[in-house]
Amino acid sequence: MTPLLEVERLTKRFGGLTANEDVSFTVGEGEIAGLIGPNGAGKTTVFNSLAGFFAPSAGSIRFRGEEIAGLPPEAVAARGVARTFQIVRIFKGMTVLENVLVGALLRHRAVPDAVARAREALRFTGLERRAADPAGRLTVAEQKRLEVTRALATEPRLLLLDEVMAGLTAAEVQDAVEMVRRIRDRGIACVVVEHVMEGIMPIADRMLVLERGRLIADGPPRAIANDPAVIAAYLGEEYRAPGA
Amino acid sequence: MSRRAGTAALLAALLLAALFPLAVARPAWQNTAILMLMAAQLGVAWNILGGYAGQVSLGHAAFFGTGAYVSSLLSMRLGLSPWLGMLAGALVASAFAVVVGWPCFRLKGHYFAMATIAVVEIVQAVVNGWERLGGAVGLYLPLAETGFGGFVFNRSKLPYYYIALALLVLTLAVNWLVARSRTGYYLRAIKDEPDAARSLGVSLTRYKLQAIALSAALAAMGGTLYAQKELFIDPGSTLSTSLSIKMSLVAILGGVGTLFGPVIGAAVLTAVEEGSRVIFGGTGRGTDLVVYGLLIVLFAVYQPAGIMGWITGRWLGPRAERPEEEP
């Protein structure tokens, strides 16, 4: 069976800077893959290539067997890949419900149908009470949750979550972990970029570790935690930090 | 305001507007009222692109002028009824808007606005030098067939009042329908966060082009009405940057992205214009630009949400109908 997502030798250069080099991995149906690495390792660049915001310099991205590298974001979304943004990009001039509605309209062209689907998504992520509130009035944790809800409303097969746990309190991290688990239980595969290790380690089926644009490890969380190369990458960062 | 109260207020306003010319018989006042309705209609048309989609066009006179010229030329050369000319003008303006929008939408924010100024200036320069279109002298429409069929009324301005009112109501209805549609939500999403909109499957180009096509068609219909009312058009009056700015100002003053904002904006702006004409006398060509500039500065600094924003007192800008209010 072909995996849901196959990334092969993905390379992205910006002028002289190589942000991703020969990155290859696969994500299976309903799998949670954690994508970690030091700042500047190229995690968000991978996301932007997967979601169609960057055209890769080389390599291929196949989603459900179809080549999607170089397609524009709206075409990638239509094929079933949804994303959130590291810095939240909610529609501030709209209510919470309207934000999610924009996502739901992708699969349901009639507004009343889409409203029903949006409400369902809000119930799933527990934001239903805030449906009528202006989106800009939500707390940071709620805004991140709103981005996830909006992405879910497009009914994706693969969800790309970019640091949804960053800046949250311990209790909020637990809620977020629970939410990602329930998303996976609905059969939606997730690639999760995260710095919060206690958030991602317990739920990931696989961990992918990037360093300086290259994939240096790919395996189950327990193996990754003991991998010398991974430890070196993080330790290296710590050693460099005081002099930087 | 509840749904029923809103509907009642709307019907009351419509009734007042319909009865106004019967209560106020003085032609000068009636003429001011017609100008107000025409300005409101153009502001509402502009608002579809500039308000909902957030693409500030300062070249909408190009579409207004297209409507004026297409219907006038078709009626003068081919004897086509201006009513059909109005539809033809709307279609031509739509097509023109798509052709112009395609490259201009590659630019964002201020750069888009500047490109639209270039568009209207180029169109004006071309028509100025095009003898068959009347050139810089302009076109005088013949007084061939007066009455409703010919769309020319020489005894009283009153029919123009009701046609302008009908056109405004039509434009508001289109705007209202768009705001509640898939396209309406997509346009507001594009205005707020274009990248997020794309990640949810929204094609920026496709929906911006839909918005400019619709906005241009409605502005062109206003252009035909202007031509039939004045019976004279020239590039300076129908294809100018100052007219373009006025269209945007009506919406900005009243409240961008709101349904009735431009109507309020038009009422205030027309009153201010007529007032400045009385105070400063005569031409107005210089003073109205000074007034426009002053208003833009004042509103940008103190009241970016426009008069509607001040009335509703809510920070949530676009006052599109909530989905939960749906029947």
Side-chain angles (χ1 to χ4, degrees):
Chain A
M1 202 185 90
T2 45
L4 185 67
L5 177 73
E6 292 173 277
V7 178
E8 227 175 87
R9 308 201 62 170
L10 176 67
T11 300
K12 178 65 189 171
R13 293 185 204 92
F14 298 100
L17 178 85
T18 304
N20 292 142
E21 194 169 5
D22 284 341
V23 175
S24 303
F25 63 90
T26 63
V27 178
E29 299 266 0
E31 198 176 34
I32 298 178
L35 181 59
I36 63 168
N39 284 326
K43 304 182 294 288
T44 297
T45 305
V46 169
F47 262 33
N48 280 328
S49 294
L50 293 182
F53 283 86
F54 293 158
S57 311
S60 87
I61 303 166
R62 279 187 301 278
F63 182 68
R64 301 170 79 183
E66 183 193 1
E67 183 63 50
I68 60 164
L71 288 181
E74 55 271 21
V76 175
R79 281 161 177 75
V81 180
R83 73 169 294 180
T84 67
F85 292 88
Q86 192 177 349
I87 297 155
V88 289
R89 295 193 183 173
I90 54 166
F91 306 126
K92 290 217 165 79
M94 295 188 180
T95 65
V96 169
L97 177 64
E98 286 170 340
N99 265 266
V100 184
L101 177 61
V102 172
L105 283 166
L106 178 63
R107 312 269 177 227
H108 305 275
R109 301 179 67 93
V111 173
D113 292 352
V115 167
R117 295 310 298 246
R119 286 197 176 282
E120 211 176 290
L122 284 167
R123 265 197 299 278
F124 179 78
T125 57
L127 275 178
E128 205 192 357
R129 283 181 312 110
R130 312 288 308 233
D133 291 342
R137 286 201 192 145
L138 298 183
T139 65
V140 174
E142 286 172 327
Q143 291 192 3
K144 293 199 166 198
R145 198 165 270 255
L146 175 57
E147 275 214 338
V148 176
T149 315
R150 200 173 63 177
L152 281 176
T154 66
E155 298 169 29
R157 298 287 293 272
L158 175 68
L159 184 57
L160 308 172
L161 299 170
D162 200 349
E163 299 206 17
V164 284
M165 299 172 193
L168 302 190
T169 66
E172 287 168 344
V173 167
Q174 278 318 306
D175 289 347
V177 166
E178 196 45 49
M179 180 175 68
V180 175
R181 200 175 262 147
R182 289 195 300 122
I183 290 169
R184 189 261 314 274
D185 291 346
R186 293 180 92 179
I188 300 166
C190 299
V191 180
V192 187
V193 163
E194 203 53 72
H195 275 302
V196 182
M197 287 306 137
E198 61 272 32
I200 183 63
M201 285 301 220
I203 51 170
D205 300 300
R206 284 232 322 286
M207 294 294 284
L208 307 163
V209 187
L210 272 179
E211 197 216 4
R212 297 189 200 184
R214 290 172 165 278
L215 198 65
I216 59 165
D218 178 352
R222 188 164 304 192
I224 290 296
N226 299 318
D227 187 321
V230 176
I231 293 167
Y234 276 96
L235 287 178
E237 189 191 34
E238 276 182 25
Y239 282 132
R240 274 198 306 278
Chain B
M1 189 158 50
S2 80
R3 200 182 167 79
R4 191 171 296 177
T7 312
L10 199 59
L11 288 176
L14 197 58
L15 192 67
L16 272 180
L19 294 177
F20 172 82
L22 306 180
V24 181
R26 203 195 293 182
W29 285 86
Q30 287 191 0
N31 194 51
T32 302
I34 297 171
L35 293 178
M36 213 174 260
L37 291 174
M38 288 170 63
Q41 189 267 336
L42 292 174
V44 176
W46 181 92
N47 207 24
I48 293 176
L49 180 70
Y52 288 105
Q55 308 299 308
V56 173
S57 158
L58 296 178
H60 252 52
F63 310 129
F64 174 89
T66 300
Y69 271 89
V70 167
S71 65
S72 300
L73 287 165
L74 284 175
S75 118
M76 288 167 72
R77 301 274 158 78
L78 304 174
L80 190 74
S81 154
W83 292 105
L84 292 174
M86 187 183 243
L87 291 179
L91 286 175
V92 173
S94 259
F96 178 50
V98 169
V99 170
V100 166
W102 194 272
C104 287
F105 283 137
R106 300 181 74 90
L107 302 167
K108 286 175 183 151
H110 302 94
Y111 298 101
F112 172 77
M114 281 156 68
T116 58
I117 294 178
V119 167
V120 72
E121 290 291 333
I122 290 168
V123 172
Q124 188 185 14
V126 167
V127 176
N128 262 328
W130 197 333
E131 288 306 318
R132 283 183 59 80
L133 301 186
V137 180
L139 297 171
Y140 285 92
L141 277 71
L143 264 168
E145 185 195 349
T146 59
F148 190 79
F151 202 156
V152 174
F153 309 93
N154 54 355
R155 291 222 190 96
S156 152
K157 290 277 182 197
L158 204 56
Y160 290 117
Y161 177 87
Y162 287 106
I163 293 170
L165 182 61
L167 191 56
L168 172 60
V169 169
L170 171 78
T171 309
L172 282 169
V174 169
N175 205 319
W176 184 78
L177 285 172
V178 168
R180 304 167 69 84
S181 73
R182 187 181 195 231
T183 301
Y185 288 106
Y186 277 2
L187 294 179
R188 286 167 59 202
I190 290 170
K191 175 186 183 175
D192 272 7
E193 287 287 350
D195 279 346
R198 296 188 81 186
S199 78
L200 299 171
V202 180
S203 159
L204 303 189
T205 312
R206 181 173 158 193
Y207 287 96
K208 283 180 188 174
L209 286 178
Q210 279 187 18
I212 200 173
L214 198 54
S215 182
L218 292 166
M221 292 173 83
T224 298
L225 171 59
Y226 174 86
Q228 292 303 125
K229 175 176 171 290
E230 300 297 322
L231 296 173
F232 166 69
I233 54 172
D234 68 345
S237 60
T238 62
L239 292 165
S240 67
T241 302
S242 75
L243 175 62
S244 302
I245 292 174
K246 184 177 169 181
M247 287 163 77
S248 66
L249 188 56
V250 161
I252 292 165
L253 199 64
V256 288
T258 63
L259 184 56
F260 291 104
V263 180
I264 295 168
V268 172
L269 193 68
T270 311
V272 169
E273 270 177 5
E274 295 299 307
S276 80
R277 204 160 294 167
V278 171
I279 294 164
F280 299 109
T283 59
R285 188 163 167 83
T287 52
D288 57 357
L289 286 177
V290 172
V291 171
Y292 294 170
L294 192 65
L295 285 172
I296 288 175
V297 171
L298 286 176
F299 270 77
V301 173
Y302 295 108
Q303 190 59 42
I307 298 168
M308 277 302 271
W310 177 67
I311 291 172
T312 55
R314 286 196 320 213
W315 71 271
L316 188 68
R319 202 210 77 96
E321 266 62 28
R322 293 290 147 65
E324 61 260 45
E325 286 174 12
E326 229 148 73

